[in-house]
Amino acid sequence: FQHTPIEVLEMIGTLASDETPLVRKAVAMNLTRLAHLTTSDVCFESVFPICAQLAIDAQDSVRLLAVESLAA
């Protein structure tokens, strides 16, 4: 299966809203990698909102990793 970058970003956005904290934590841990693979426009339009959503997560560990990703 091959997916377009937009489809991948949509899937990651869905995972960032998953009810399982470990799934959201995995997304937060890999946002920096994702940001490096996208253009700056896509990053600000798609990756940054995901990171901002995770930065206000109920789980401390998810918030911490999201903020670290934002800093990177």
Side-chain angles (χ1 to χ4, degrees), residues 5-23:
I6 300 300
E7 290 173 328
V8 171
L9 288 169
E10 288 173 358
M11 287 183 235
I12 291 171
T14 300
L15 291 172
S17 301
D18 194 272
E19 65 181 48
T20 308
L22 284 175
V23 174

Side-chain angles (χ1 to χ4, degrees), residues 36-56:
H36 288 296
L37 296 174
T38 62
T39 64
S40 59
D41 291 340
V42 171
C43 187
F44 282 112
E45 291 175 14
S46 300
V47 179
F48 184 74
I50 293 170
C51 198
Q53 172 187 343
L54 293 172
I56 59 170

